Amino acid sequence: MKLVVVSAGLSVPSSTRLLADRLAAAVDRKAPVDIQVVELRDLAVEIAHNFTNGFPGPSLAAALDAVTEADGLIVVTPVFSASYSGLFKSFFDVLDKDALAGKPVLVAATGGSARHSLVLDHALRPLFSYLRAVVVPTGVYAASEDWGAEGLPDRIDRAAGELAALMQGLSTTRPASKQTVVPFTDQLAALNISPSGV
């Protein structure tokens, strides 16, 4: 299975990339995957050119193909003005509108304060629902104070398990019990009723 990680971090090193790497490693522990990372920082110029000329450059084209062909995605963005970054949104704006239909996606974000954690449900989840992706129930937000604190590893592990299960096509619900189909005429006969109702 192929897992593509889209990281919109801007600095080097980046807490956004760190979170992306931890999530990818957790998925790989649950179900071995081939991991490819797409660093949007490196594609910023080609993304801008795609908007002005309508064609992706070679690096952007390769990244768009990787996302389209992936069995699952991890998408991680820093929070700017209480939402995803403009670079993050621009990448998904140039992606084909059907590329994510039915694709499992784990959403994650980083920010300086826990106050921005609602970005997962108020910005990222609606964006990927609009793109018809299947967003895993657990999103992961990491504020500055979360690194090294309790809770973040558990959220990473839970979200990774959900993504791995979706990528494998597994259901977390119990399988339906087998039921025997009894023909309608046999059911009527058991009630001493003839099919004609007479």
Side-chain angles (χ1 to χ4, degrees):
M1 290 186 298
K2 181 180 178 183
L3 173 65
V4 173
V5 180
V6 178
S7 173
L10 298 178
S11 59
V12 180
S14 160
S15 61
T16 300
R17 176 61 189 268
L18 177 61
L19 180 58
D21 289 344
R22 288 193 182 180
L23 288 164
V27 172
D28 192 45
R29 286 193 299 273
K30 304 283 184 183
V33 289
D34 293 324
I35 300 169
Q36 179 178 347
V37 177
V38 173
E39 281 280 6
L40 298 186
R41 179 187 67 245
D42 300 335
L43 301 172
V45 172
E46 287 191 27
I47 290 170
H49 286 166
N50 194 142
F51 278 112
T52 58
N53 65 25
F55 298 99
S59 297
L60 178 58
L64 295 171
D65 287 344
V67 167
T68 301
E69 295 163 7
D71 296 301
L73 291 179
I74 294 173
V75 297
V76 191
T77 180
V79 176
F80 292 119
S81 302
S83 189
Y84 38 67
S85 73
L87 180 59
F88 181 86
K89 178 64 163 57
S90 294
F91 176 76
F92 289 101
D93 282 344
V94 299
L95 185 68
D96 182 87
K97 66 181 179 62
D98 297 320
L100 299 185
K103 196 178 301 290
V105 176
L106 190 168
V107 296
T110 58
S113 162
R115 293 176 308 187
H116 296 299
S117 63
L118 290 176
V119 70
L120 296 174
D121 292 321
H122 290 274
L124 288 168
R125 198 171 295 278
L127 170 64
F128 289 97
S129 293
Y130 174 79
L131 295 171
R132 293 178 290 138
V134 179
V135 183
V136 302
T138 302
V140 180
Y141 178 80
S144 299
E145 62 266 22
D146 288 327
W147 298 102
E150 290 184 22
L152 181 58
D154 292 338
R155 293 196 308 274
I156 288 172
D157 191 62
R158 184 170 61 246
E162 293 167 357
L163 180 61
L166 282 174
M167 288 176 67
Q168 292 174 316
L170 300 178
S171 173
T172 56
T173 60
R174 294 195 301 164
S177 60
K178 291 185 179 179
Q179 296 180 344
T180 304
V181 177
V182 179
F184 185 64
T185 54
D186 292 350
Q187 293 178 36
L188 291 176
L191 298 171
N192 292 322
I193 299 175
S194 70
S196 63
V198 184

